[in-house]
Amino acid sequence: MANIKVLVGSTYGNAQQVAEDCAEQLNGLGHNTVVLAEPKLEEVVADDTEVLLVCTATIGLGEIPNNLMPLYSQLKDQAPQLSEKRYGLISLGDSGYQNFANAGKLMDELLQELQVQRVGETLEIDACETPDPEEAASEWISAWAAQL
Ligand SMILES: Cc1cc2nc3c(=O)[nH]c(=O)nc-3n(C[C@H](O)[C@H](O)[C@H](O)COP(=O)(O)O)c2cc1C
């Protein structure tokens, strides 16, 4: 069973809700999961953080939400050594916008640069096609958790 930190990027609450549901599901499977609504660098680099689950929406013109941006910038600037850690990624967006799910793509690129090991493929949830993002995430989490 893993210590999992859920890193939330949310402006209007959708990604936050998905993150909380995922955490409940993961804890039900026996993992120790904490949702970080304003994730801090110290919490990410901590030795007892084994797995990161990024759950972010995209805002503005393809940007990372304000609550996740400080962590993104710090990780980019400080480039900590994170190759022992693993991550998964849930990316919410709306294909009616030009830069669909771009915040998830930016987080994915950054975590790859930092050599964090990705578990599974990114789940992209398009608000145009998916009326119930929690349900989509729940199915994905079942498969993802089986790979941890
Ligand atoms: C002002 C605004 C800008 C947005 N820009 C984008 C975008 O560039 N790309 C995208 O895929 N989705 C974009 N979205 C859609 C959001 O990512 C989507 O609605 C998401 O579910 C919001 O999640 P949140 O409630 O956690 O903030 C935008 C939404 C708003 C309201």
Side-chain angles (χ1 to χ4, degrees):
M1 293 300 111
N3 283 329
I4 304 171
K5 298 272 166 63
V6 186
L7 313 179
V8 180
S10 182
T11 309
Y12 303 104
N14 292 332
Q16 177 75 31
Q17 187 60 54
V18 168
E20 284 170 13
D21 286 10
C22 289
E24 199 179 319
Q25 193 177 344
L26 288 164
N27 285 336
L29 293 168
H31 296 289
N32 176 23
T33 313
V34 178
V35 177
L36 303 176
E38 298 206 337
K40 307 266 184 303
L41 184 67
E42 312 83 79
E43 295 165 311
V44 169
V45 301
D47 283 345
D48 66 353
T49 299
E50 296 169 311
V51 178
L52 306 170
L53 175 59
V54 179
C55 183
T56 188
T58 294
I59 196 63
L61 302 173
E63 286 146 33
I64 292 175
N66 283 344
N67 65 309
L68 186 58
M69 197 56 206
L71 175 68
Y72 178 84
S73 301
Q74 284 179 316
L75 286 171
K76 195 93 188 151
D77 292 347
Q78 299 185 25
Q81 212 285 105
L82 297 177
S83 61
E84 301 298 307
K85 303 192 193 302
R86 295 176 288 160
Y87 77 100
L89 181 52
I90 298 175
S91 179
L92 288 84
D94 183 327
S95 57
Y97 290 87
Q98 267 189 357
N99 300 301
F100 174 61
N102 193 54
K105 294 184 179 95
L106 291 171
M107 286 301 296
D108 197 30
E109 276 169 24
L110 175 59
L111 293 171
Q112 292 282 316
E113 273 168 38
L114 299 176
Q115 297 184 355
V116 193
Q117 304 160 44
R118 189 173 55 213
V119 176
E121 294 300 318
T122 299
L123 172 65
E124 288 187 342
I125 301 178
D126 182 355
C128 279
E129 292 176 351
T130 312
D132 188 344
E134 288 85 7
E135 189 186 328
S138 174
E139 282 176 25
W140 182 88
I141 281 283
S142 299
W144 183 73
Q147 298 172 68
L148 291 177

